[in-house]
Amino acid sequence: MLPLLLLISRDAGISGDEELHYKQSEDVYDYFVSMGKDQDALNTPDTHLQYYGQAPDNFATILAHWFRIDDIYGFRHILSSFLGWLAIFVSALFTRWLKGYGAAILTLVLFAVSPRFLGHLQNNLKDIPFALAYIAGVYYILRLTYINFKSETSSLILFLIASIAFSVGIRAGGILLVFYLFFAVFLYFLIKYFNKEILIWSQVKRTLILTVIVSFSGYLIGILFWPYALQNPILNPWKSFVLMTNFTTTIRQIFDGQFIWSDFHPWYYLPKYMLITIPIIVSLGLVIFVVFIKKIVEPKHFLTYGFLIFSILFPLIFVILKGSNLYGAWRHFNFLYPGIVILSAIGFYELFCRFKKIPVRLTVSLFFIVLMFHPLKFMASSHPYYYLYYNQLVGGLNGAYGKYETDYYYATLRSGAEWLQEYLDEEEIRGKVVVGSNFPVDWYFKDFANVECQYFTYHFRNDYDWDYAIIGNSYIEPSQLLNGNFPPEGTIHEVMVDDVPVCAVVARISKLPFEGAQALNDECFEDAINLYSAALNYYQKDENVYFKLGKSLNLQGRNDDAMEAINHSLAINGTFEPSLYLAGKIKKENGDFEAAKKDFEALIRANKKYFIAYVELGQIYHQENNLDEARSILKACLQISPRNQSAIIALGETYKETHPDIAEKYFELVESYKTLN
């Protein structure tokens, strides 16, 4: 399995977070090389990466410098695959310890048909190494607890220290293994007590001392390559842990056919994503384990199995109860998957062992093989983009398209970039070429001196100056994916996985929208109107071109013409936020309050965080003297964005005539915020 995984990693694309983590690792390297004088690694207000230990990223960069490795991303992907393979290997060792070699081999087989895990294993140098540290930590905690930290187990103690160190070094949440260790020791002696076994105080004392030594050693080693933690080894890791459990960065992604913010997902976001992306064969094995749990978990093995189950369920239950901010499907919870596979393999092994007759065993084995076919077929046809896998519960990737995120990690842009490189060569295009993308693609064109890269957001792509574009289908509304507007106009190549377009290579049809955007920025509104009107001859499905035309007309006072353009924009994309907002503003200015309210309400439904829409809607209700409704809407805005000054002022205005003292307090609050800023 190892050489195959290393080989597969050579085809992996650069993942969504990888460039940021690589740049941070370079800053960490500079920090240590300069003996702490270079402080860039400690100043990351936008990425918050100072709060991550990101040990694997740092090690990869250190080794790349030492051995003068130029293909840094290729090297990172090899390291990621190796660490992922170690996670699989440790899981098999864990299973062997619990149930024997037969179950251990089944563990390897189930991993081999786990597309999501194998997909992230190629290039996810954060979540996959953490999965290794987590399952290794649980394994060695149980092994040492089971034999009561006997002196001849020094190698196991070292492995546990390494597991804790690695987990803490990756992210602050790795400190969970320390709590697990103390909890396991507590449970061990508690079970002995209830079993009325004699507790020898010297033995208890020795175990507790060793537990403290192991925990402290693992923690200390874990922060050695983490600059932020080294500034204050006690307080700063704790600050990081608190920040990670209350992560403020939120993004919008597709779930259940809705385009919603990550902090507004329903409680079942994580379990449902796991249910529809974990292969049916693994989930079935888990069900079989539960069915036979009384047979499998004998009293003497209650602690080992119970603790393994706890290590899977506790993080899931914790984030559900806490209502944590989650995105990227369940990639942040890849660390739970090895434990799930272990229990699934044991479940299948127990099932096989219950049937002694050869015909029955062959039938069960055949059923097992049939269930492997779906994920294996997907990997064979979708190499190397295994992480896009969805199981039969949603009809595979084809059934999930437009209902759930597909290439949220932008891995498929590598295929688009490689196709465009060949195209430029075949067409013998040697002059300057600007390649735009909704994700950085600079690395793919590092050997092309004539190529310059330009980043843009998808909906505003034609506002920028580019000749060709590579566009992933991430962060696009589901309606736009399903109504044929993606891939966009000008597409000359599609990257397909199953029957789903996940990436498009686009040739520029016309630069009139770019010229129109420049004219609009320069307040040359008549020129902008002419340019955008001409651009419509080339772009019939770009909602932003119609919107910018409408905006230009509105700024010229031609509201009837502006509304005609805006209506065209909304016909293409009914949830295009700039068009909804401008439509509401124009109708509000014209005194058509009922129509304006519908637009602002639609805008809030489309985006709960489009805060100015709450203010506009609240002001309409205020003008209609419906103060209760106005206040309710503005308070709803402040529940999401408590420091939104526009909403606070608008709310204060609703009290100005009836309760001037309350209004004054709101206005004073705004002034205090201005002073703080």
Side-chain angles (χ1 to χ4, degrees), residues 22 25-26 29 57-66 72 76:
Y22 168 58
S25 71
E26 287 286 359
Y29 179 81
D57 297 271
N58 298 338
F59 292 152
T61 297
I62 290 170
L63 292 173
H65 279 282
W66 285 358
I72 182 64
R76 286 169 56 89

Side-chain angles (χ1 to χ4, degrees), residues 139-154:
Y139 174 47
Y140 291 115
I141 284 171
L142 289 177
R143 285 199 62 178
L144 286 165
T145 306
Y146 192 76
I147 57 176
N148 197 23
F149 287 86
K150 291 180 180 177
S151 58
E152 62 268 21
T153 60
S154 57

Side-chain angles (χ1 to χ4, degrees), residues 10 19 37 59 93 108 399 495 565 576:
R10 300 300 297 159
E19 184 180 29
K37 293 179 182 178
F59 292 152
L93 288 178
L108 298 177
V495 179
F576 190 53

Side-chain angles (χ1 to χ4, degrees), residues 624-636:
E624 293 180 336
N625 207 32
N626 190 343
L627 299 181
D628 289 340
E629 188 64 26
R631 292 165 186 165
S632 175
I633 289 165
L634 293 167
K635 287 177 181 178

Side-chain angles (χ1 to χ4, degrees), residues 350-387:
E350 182 69 22
L351 179 66
F352 290 144
C353 290
R354 292 183 68 83
F355 299 109
K356 305 298 182 183
K357 295 181 178 180
I358 298 298
V360 178
R361 281 197 172 186
L362 287 174
T363 302
V364 173
S365 299
L366 180 62
F367 182 62
F368 185 86
I369 293 171
V370 169
L371 288 176
M372 292 167 56
F373 179 75
H374 190 266
L376 284 174
K377 178 178 178 292
F378 179 82
M379 288 190 287
S381 64
S382 307
H383 174 79
Y385 305 118
Y386 308 155
Y387 93 102

Side-chain angles (χ1 to χ4, degrees), residues 584-622:
K585 282 281 289 181
I586 292 173
K587 292 169 185 175
K588 179 184 173 185
E589 291 169 4
N590 292 340
D592 191 354
F593 289 163
E594 288 304 313
K597 282 192 287 188
K598 289 180 180 179
D599 287 326
F600 291 130
E601 288 167 353
L603 181 50
I604 292 170
R605 284 195 301 272
N607 182 359
K608 286 180 180 290
K609 296 187 180 183
Y610 208 103
F611 300 121
I612 191 63
Y614 292 88
V615 176
E616 296 283 359
L617 191 57
Q619 288 174 345
I620 291 175
Y621 279 109
H622 184 189

Side-chain angles (χ1 to χ4, degrees), residues 575-586:
T575 60
F576 190 53
E577 294 157 17
S579 291
L580 281 172
Y581 179 69
L582 184 56
K585 282 281 289 181
I586 292 173

Side-chain angles (χ1 to χ4, degrees), residues 604 608-619 622 627 629-656 662-663 665-667 669-670 673-674:
I604 292 170
K608 286 180 180 290
K609 296 187 180 183
Y610 208 103
F611 300 121
I612 191 63
Y614 292 88
V615 176
E616 296 283 359
L617 191 57
Q619 288 174 345
H622 184 189
L627 299 181
E629 188 64 26
R631 292 165 186 165
S632 175
I633 289 165
L634 293 167
K635 287 177 181 178
C637 175
L638 292 172
Q639 281 185 333
I640 305 172
S641 179
R643 288 174 172 254
N644 190 294
Q645 295 182 23
S646 297
I648 295 172
I649 291 171
L651 184 58
E653 292 289 343
T654 66
Y655 288 100
K656 202 169 182 179
I662 296 177
K665 288 180 180 179
Y666 281 115
F667 299 147
L669 182 62
V670 171
Y673 287 157
K674 290 179 180 178

